[in-house]
Every structure is written in structure tokens, then in C-alpha cells.
Amino acid sequence: MARRSRQASVDSDTKVPVVIINGFLGSGKTTLLRCLLAQSSQENLSVSVVVNDMSELDVDGELVASTDAFGKEGSNFVSIHNCVLSSKKGIAKLRRALADLLSDQRPDLIIIETSGSCHPMPLIEFFRSRSDFNLTGVLALVDTAMLAQDYHYGQQLLPIMQRNFQAQRRDTTNLLVEQIMFCSHLVLTKADRIEEGKLQSIAESIHSINPLVSVLSVLWGRLPIGQILDMPGYDYFRVAQLVKELKPVLKSESRNERPYDLATRVIKDDRPFHPQRLWETYRHQLGQQIYRSKGFFWLASRDRVSLLWSQAAGSISLELMGFWRAGVVEDEDSGLSESEMELLKERLGKEPGRFGDRHCHLTVIGDKTHIDVFVESIERCFLTDEEIEHWRAGGQFSDPWPKTMKKMTG
């Protein structure tokens, strides 16, 4: 497959191609982005990235920044968090981020991963007004497992949208439908989690919302980067009427950093979770109105490893991130030399928590009328003082979580 030359990428007259990865909360945007970045490293492509998170806790930014595609200086990566890119504040931050990314080089490609609560239209309008960029693809990722669970395999999307229109209200269903309407490429994710044979009916249901776009099914973000590089320019004319109709509505939403009745909460604690209580909370307290929760944590039963919590709709996955420094120090067979061990202990001595560098930092995004109850139930899963003493004395805890889990790679 032909690739644009490096000389062309630094030509001052060449527009920089931009691809937007859009999609509702938990649809797999970060997984796709990390996969694309791994491919870009293998093919020696210069890719710059903007990652957006509506929460103050920048989980996706940390995950993306840890990939091999970025050097230590991080000059080709910008994280914009604690706002939504489609807001006025977000657009202003995006303008500055793009200026920073282009200050030293002109990359082969810029990829923008939006927050799941981001409406695509303000970004499309922004790039339409910029002569120095060529918006090629607007990908809408759609979680098929969520559609199966919440929208009867996609069949209820339009009926709920129509009821919202009649009631003159806007919620996350409007956002999901409009993300599909504005996309140039519809990407179905998590098809391995739905009933066999149902993918075709889901594709037909949601393709009717935007029948002019291609539909792809992608597992674990495995989309060839060649398909991204070969995307033509975005067809602004196709959405012109849609922009005209929605512009008055979205003008008021652009001032709102938490649109669609969404709220975010951040959980920060140095204590580990009780594995059994966390399991029961996940099974019994996780309702449809908790759209996304993610972050880094540790279990009292697995106190040496750093884990990634990633929940979307009714499903959750745990991934192994690595080992806590405190866990390495406590390991008699760590393999570290005496000087390396002393250096590690010195670093741990500067950590503010009671358990070295171990900590739990989670962000939760959900309907503002439901989120506090769920957060309170999560916080009850931390070890009590008595349980901490039990843990320090070498006590055991019941752990129903899967014994094997995927190792996070980048």
C-alpha cells in the first residue's frame, strides 16, 4: 500500500490529515487508538495525538502516553481533560493543542480521541474552517454489547429518539444517534460479547440511521492503520442540513461541561479494595445509568500488582498494568541489587500514601441522579481499619475475580 512521503508531510503547503475517533462512553476508543499507535511505530509513521477526557482524572491520557509511539519529551501528544472537546472551553483548548503539536514538525497524521460525551458537530465545524488541516475520517465507535443490553440490539434507538423529540428533551440517546449520523465510518465493537448471529441485525438497525457510511466490525481495536491513512476527505456537504438543524440546539450545550445529565465523580484512596465486596458491588449495584468507570487500583488479595478497572455499561474488565514498587520491595526474590533496592526504597519514602505507591484512583461517569449511590457503594469496598490490620498480619481475603487477566501492552 502506498504511503505519503516524509517530504510531503513537511511541505508547508500540505494540509495535515486529521482523524477523529468519536463514540459513546466505553465503546473502545482508547483500545483502538493504542492499536493504531502500535502500528504507526512499526511502520515508522509520525503520528500526533490529542486525547480528551471529561473527568479531572486523566486515565485515558496516561494509558495512551505510555505507548512506545511517544518519546519521553511527549512533544507529539496532548491530553485535554476536565472538559468536553465539543464545548467552547474544549474547542479553545484544542486550538492551542494543535498549535503546540505543529510548532516543531508536521506529522503524517493527527488522531483525536474524544470523550465519550463529546458531540462531533462542533469539531467538524472547527476543522471545516481550518485551511491547514484536512479532516479525513470521523469514526463513530458503537458498543454492540451495550446496544444489545440497553436498546434491544439497536431496534429501540430511533423510537426512543422520537419520544425524546416529542417530549423536547435531549439525553444520551440523542448523543449516540447523532454521533452515528455525523460519522464517515461506523465501527462496531465488542461483537464477541453478544449473542451469536445478532451482529447483522444490529448493523442493519443502526446503519439505517446513516446509510451512506461504511460499517466495520472491529475486535480489540484491530483496525489496520492503512485504512485510516487511505480515508478520503470528510464530506461536509452530506451533513450540511443536519448542521443547520442542530446548530441552535448545540449552541446552548456548548456552554455545558457536563451535558446530557451526565455527572462525573473521582474516587481517590490509598487503601486496597476488599475483593469479595467489590465483586458483589459490581454484580448487584451496577445499573444502566452508570455509563463508564475506569482507573487504577489494587486488591488486598493481589497486593503486588497494579490493575486497570474498565467498566462500560454492564460489563467490566480487569487488566494487569504492572507491579507496584512497594510490591517489588516486599518481594524477597525481586532480583534487584542492593543499590537498586535502596534507590527504590528512597523513592517509596517520598510517596504520600500509607502503602507506598499503591493507590486507587477511579473516575465514574453516569446519570447525575444515580451516580452518587454507586460511588458510595464502591467506597464501601475499601478495607476497614480492622481489615487493614488483618492484611498487614498476612491475613487472606476471599477473591472471586478471575485468576488470569490480560496484560496491558502498548
Side-chain angles (χ1 to χ4, degrees), residues 295-345:
F296 310 103
F297 74 106
W298 62 300
L299 293 171
S301 53
R302 312 183 194 194
D303 52 15
R304 293 183 179 178
V305 295
S306 170
L307 300 172
L308 172 69
W309 165 290
S310 181
Q311 169 264 323
S315 64
I316 188 170
S317 64
L318 305 186
E319 298 183 53
L320 176 63
M321 295 297 296
F323 292 88
W324 299 113
R325 293 193 184 103
V328 175
V329 166
E330 294 167 2
D331 185 359
E332 296 178 356
D333 300 320
S334 66
L336 296 181
S337 66
E338 186 176 337
S339 60
E340 289 172 331
M341 185 64 75
E342 288 302 317
L343 180 60
L344 198 55
K345 288 180 179 179

Side-chain angles (χ1 to χ4, degrees), residues 5-240:
S5 68
R6 285 302 181 90
Q7 183 61 41
S9 69
V10 297
D11 186 342
S12 60
D13 294 328
T14 301
K15 292 184 177 183
V16 179
V18 176
V19 168
I20 297 173
I21 300 178
N22 190 219
F24 194 59
L25 297 156
S27 57
K29 297 183 294 297
T30 302
T31 301
L32 172 61
L33 175 57
R34 287 172 62 88
C35 187
L36 292 174
L37 291 176
Q39 295 177 68
S40 73
S41 294
Q42 295 169 1
E43 300 198 19
N44 198 29
L45 291 166
S46 172
V47 177
S48 293
V49 170
V50 178
V51 172
N52 173 224
D53 196 318
M54 71 179 290
S55 170
E56 65 183 81
L57 194 61
D58 188 23
V59 176
D60 291 342
E62 290 187 43
L63 291 174
V64 173
S66 66
T67 63
D68 294 336
F70 302 118
K72 292 182 179 179
E73 70 282 356
S75 60
N76 53 345
F77 171 75
V78 176
S79 176
I80 299 175
H81 53 281
N82 206 22
C83 72
V84 182
L85 273 188
S86 50
S87 67
K88 287 185 176 180
K89 180 180 178 181
I91 291 292
K93 287 190 173 186
L94 176 62
R95 184 177 288 106
R96 293 193 294 269
L98 293 173
D100 290 341
L101 290 175
L102 297 183
S103 60
D104 296 325
Q105 62 175 337
R106 294 182 68 85
D108 296 322
L109 176 68
I110 294 177
I111 303 178
I112 299 174
E113 180 200 342
T114 70
S115 164
S117 57
C118 179
H119 198 289
M121 195 188 89
L123 298 182
I124 292 170
E125 287 287 274
F126 171 79
F127 283 107
R128 186 178 187 180
S129 67
R130 296 292 297 262
S131 60
D132 46 348
F133 296 102
N134 178 26
L135 180 62
T136 57
V138 178
L139 280 62
L141 273 63
V142 178
D143 180 347
T144 58
M146 181 270 289
L147 282 185
Q149 174 182 297
D150 296 348
Y151 293 98
H152 193 59
Y153 296 96
Q155 296 176 22
Q156 288 299 312
L157 264 178
L158 287 181
I160 293 175
M161 179 82 162
Q162 290 166 352
R163 289 199 294 270
N164 282 352
F165 180 77
Q166 293 170 356
Q168 296 185 327
R169 71 183 299 263
R170 288 178 58 79
D171 60 15
T172 54
T173 300
N174 296 71
L175 175 62
L176 176 58
V177 170
E178 288 162 14
Q179 286 175 340
I180 295 170
M181 293 172 77
F182 276 98
C183 77
S184 62
H185 296 76
L186 186 58
V187 182
L188 306 182
T189 63
K190 307 180 186 179
D192 56 330
R193 301 184 187 180
I194 63 173
E195 184 180 335
E196 188 175 354
K198 287 291 189 178
L199 181 61
Q200 183 64 31
S201 61
I202 288 179
E204 291 173 356
S205 293
I206 61 176
H207 194 211
S208 64
I209 298 172
N210 189 348
L212 299 179
V213 301
S214 61
V215 181
L216 308 170
S217 177
V218 175
L219 293 178
W220 298 104
R222 292 192 289 264
L223 177 66
I225 196 168
Q227 294 189 30
I228 298 292
L229 295 172
D230 292 339
M231 288 179 178
Y234 185 80
D235 186 357
Y236 295 105
F237 179 77
R238 180 181 63 82
V239 297

Side-chain angles (χ1 to χ4, degrees), residues 231-250:
M231 288 179 178
Y234 185 80
D235 186 357
Y236 295 105
F237 179 77
R238 180 181 63 82
V239 297
Q241 183 60 34
L242 188 58
V243 169
K244 184 178 180 180
E245 293 172 359
L246 283 176
K247 210 162 190 174
V249 177
L250 294 183

